[in-house]
Amino acid sequence: MSLNESPGMKAFDFDAIQNGNYALGIDHEKVTRETDAVMAQMSLAQKMNEIRGSQPKPIDGLFYAGGDESLGLAPWKMVDGPRGARAGTATAFPVAIARAASFDADLERRVGLAIGREVAARGGNVLLAPTINLLRHPGWGRAQETYSEDPYHTGVMGLAFVCGAQNHVLTSPKHFALNNLENTRFELSAEIDVRSLNEVYLPHFKRCVVEGGAASVMSAYNKVNGVFCGEQPLLLDEILRGDWGFRGFVESDWFLGTRSTAPSLNAGMDIEMPAAFRYADDKLEDALAAGEITEEVIHRSARRSIYQKIAWQLTADSVAGKPRPDPKVVECKEHVALAREAAEKSIVLLKNEADGLQLAAGVGLSIAVVGDLADFENLGDRGSSMVQPTFVSRPLQAIESAAGGATVEYFDSHVDLSRLAEFDVAIVVAGLTYEDEGEFIPTAQAEVEDSSFAKGGDRARLELPLPQRDLIERAIASAKRVVVVLQGGSAIVVRDWVDRVDGLLMAWYGGQEGGFALARVLFGEVSPSGRLPVSIPRDMDQLMPWDVSSLVIEHDLLPGYRWLDQHQQEVEFPFGFGLGYTTFEIQNLGTTRADDKLLCQVDVRNTGLRRGATVVQLYVSCRDSRVFRVEKELKGFGRVELEAGEVISLEFEVRDADLRFYDAGAGGWELEECRYDFRIGQSSGDLPLTAQWQYRNAQWRQG
Ligand code: BGC
């Protein structure tokens, strides 16, 4: 098949994503010279000071580290986190997994840009984000902070965030690595083989570092193969610096993130956060005296920090050569509008019986809004990723104001719902809160930081809590039509009631504009276009075993849909799935080779009656490999928004590098000679178009 005539819209525009990323323009030769000159003036004591945080408690949201006025070195001022600046008030964006559901890399770049700008405006210079731990199991308490169960998807979104934010501040992708169970995070060991590590659990970190120039990385609390991540040479030295050429610094995760003095420093964990404990003067001096460390390792870690300070032209009040932005940028109109756009694009329509949605606003309609969560500011987790905006839209008020004269009545979770039959439709807002899932903050840390103590932690089960299920059942029993809006940060099992509701939307934790976004989707101002970044099983038993008290967990090549494919499980809603108020057809797949890539083009047509968007997804299956291969892997996606009847040509580039497997025996990547199927469609469960290519005798040919 020949390629379509028109130049395609790119599914992923790498140049546009990199735009303005300060790290990518650094003159490393110059910085090396200048760093050497500064290092030459430094005493051992000054170097020791450079490799640790300054105090356990943040000041106005800023965690300080290093810095020396006499040398003209400003301190690091680190700020959380993945859904907005945790320093004073800030724009609360939808949580990362919600933004991931947009499958819109440019949107994520712009969100990173806005968060970076707000962090800089609050005086920060390092953004402790993005969280890019792969969602190994949807029960992970911090699922909402990360992007997805797929490494390619996580890599694209993480890269986009890093590139956007690094217009203003350094980023710190975290937690390196395999931090994907919360309750036992301070003790557990993630066991993994070298192939799964490189192919599944690290590629997204690699993208952020190699393609995004992430200037720092935060190590994880947990162990990997029995060794704490903050002292794990395989991760910090061999892979991060050796294989990827990382030039930044590694800081520890916070309390209990640095477990030792010598093993940590020797492995390359550069900066102890949030304060001196293992890297306190006496500990360092003892370790030197005992010959466990050398002055050289202190010098090395201090140098990595100072290298980035010079590279980023850091001063007390500027970073990346830019003066601190006016605090007015915080929650400015533009950022709030972006939070709205992200929330709108994140909402996933999972069920729409008889096309009952969109609702026609106006006097003819009566709506019952049901459930306490409809009148609650449900921003998600209250751990380190918590953000405090000045205003949060709630579903109830947003529906009322968008209803255009329709009757809207509110029923909280505790009242009798038998009157629901009087209304045309009942919108039940159900789901989870920070009490059900989130970061688990130990009491000691909560006290030090004055953060409100959150229950959080992992979810042992994926169903809704009983009172929420009971609410849905009571609504089903009385109402003519029930639309359930789910809030939460990951997969929720809906099997016991989903067949008896008319509509189902996954609204995540939608940030401060989430209520307005929901109302706009319900009334058809926008067609929902979110797609699931996590498979929703019918039953938890379809997934890999999950025990939230595990102290050892095995990792392999099969998280998420890889596992489900392998075990031939029919899920409730597959990875990448989502409906809209219009329909799309994908046709005319054409493929050709260009250098070390395969170019795939398809025509995408809006076949419905209104404007809307879809996400075209490309998966690759390797058919006759000599090693185990999973059934398919996502290798490209592009979000396309079209008017009714409009058609556009969409172009994917699949790099040969992305087709390789990691040959543990040979200790490297191999592009294997075999048949590759390039499969395109609108979800992992719906891939109607396939192009076959063979790679034989180092040549590619179609067929
Ligand atoms: C979390 C990190 C966070 C840090 C600082 C830790 O407990 O794991 O993600 O950046 O606290 O707040």
Side-chain angles (χ1 to χ4, degrees), residues 14-32:
F14 192 52
D15 295 341
I17 290 295
Q18 287 187 316
N19 185 28
N21 179 348
Y22 179 83
L24 302 176
I26 290 169
D27 176 347
H28 288 288
E29 271 179 32
K30 181 163 172 270
V31 175
T32 301

Side-chain angles (χ1 to χ4, degrees), residues 363-473:
V363 279
L365 181 71
S366 62
I367 306 170
V369 178
V370 182
D372 289 352
L373 290 183
D375 195 20
F376 180 64
E377 297 182 356
N378 203 3
L379 294 176
D381 157 86
R382 296 192 180 174
S384 63
S385 72
M386 181 173 172
V387 174
Q388 283 179 302
T390 49
F391 171 79
V392 181
S393 64
R394 305 178 195 191
L396 174 62
Q397 289 76 15
I399 290 169
E400 280 169 345
S401 63
T407 307
V408 179
E409 204 170 311
Y410 175 53
F411 296 80
D412 72 34
S413 299
H414 309 285
V415 298
D416 180 7
L417 297 183
S418 52
R419 273 189 53 227
L420 293 187
E422 295 166 22
F423 296 83
D424 295 323
V425 59
I427 297 171
V428 182
V429 183
L432 309 172
T433 71
Y434 67 94
E435 297 199 47
D436 303 302
E437 58 179 350
E439 184 176 358
F440 178 75
I441 309 277
T443 316
Q445 183 179 347
E447 278 167 8
V448 174
E449 290 184 16
D450 294 336
S451 54
S452 56
F453 179 69
K455 265 203 216 155
D458 302 301
R459 282 183 303 152
R461 303 284 317 164
L462 300 184
E463 296 83 9
L464 286 174
L466 263 179
Q468 297 287 301
R469 279 147 75 190
D470 174 62
L471 179 76
I472 294 171
E473 289 296 344

Side-chain angles (χ1 to χ4, degrees), residues 63 80 86 128 142 174-175 185 218 221 253-254 384 439 445:
F63 288 102
D80 285 302
R86 184 185 168 217
L128 301 172
R142 296 180 77 172
K174 64 188 186 185
H175 313 81
R185 64 177 168 162
M218 185 191 294
Y221 285 127
D253 201 345
W254 262 230
S384 63
E439 184 176 358
Q445 183 179 347

Side-chain angles (χ1 to χ4, degrees), residues 102-123:
S102 73
F103 280 72
D104 186 336
D106 182 64
L107 172 66
E108 190 58 10
R109 180 190 67 83
R110 289 182 284 131
V111 169
L113 186 76
I115 295 177
R117 186 186 286 138
E118 293 197 7
V119 165
R122 289 286 184 227

Side-chain angles (χ1 to χ4, degrees), residues 172-252:
S172 198
K174 64 188 186 185
H175 313 81
F176 194 60
L178 282 74
N179 181 167
N180 46 39
L181 194 147
E182 186 61 9
N183 293 4
T184 57
R185 64 177 168 162
F186 298 114
E187 297 304 330
L188 87 83
S189 180
E191 302 292 307
I192 192 161
D193 62 282
V194 68
R195 179 173 176 202
S196 306
L197 186 64
N198 280 285
E199 277 185 35
V200 181
Y201 284 90
L202 294 188
H204 33 289
F205 279 100
K206 184 178 179 181
R207 288 202 90 160
C208 290
V209 166
V210 175
E211 295 171 55
S216 65
V217 161
M218 185 191 294
S219 63
Y221 285 127
N222 52 282
K223 300 173 194 161
V224 165
N225 295 342
V227 179
F228 282 111
C229 287
E231 50 190 48
Q232 177 45 288
L234 170 69
L235 291 174
L236 301 185
D237 196 42
E238 279 175 47
I239 295 180
L240 184 61
R241 299 186 196 279
D243 295 350
W244 304 348
F246 176 64
R247 296 177 197 257
F249 59 88
V250 175
E251 81 274 6
S252 70

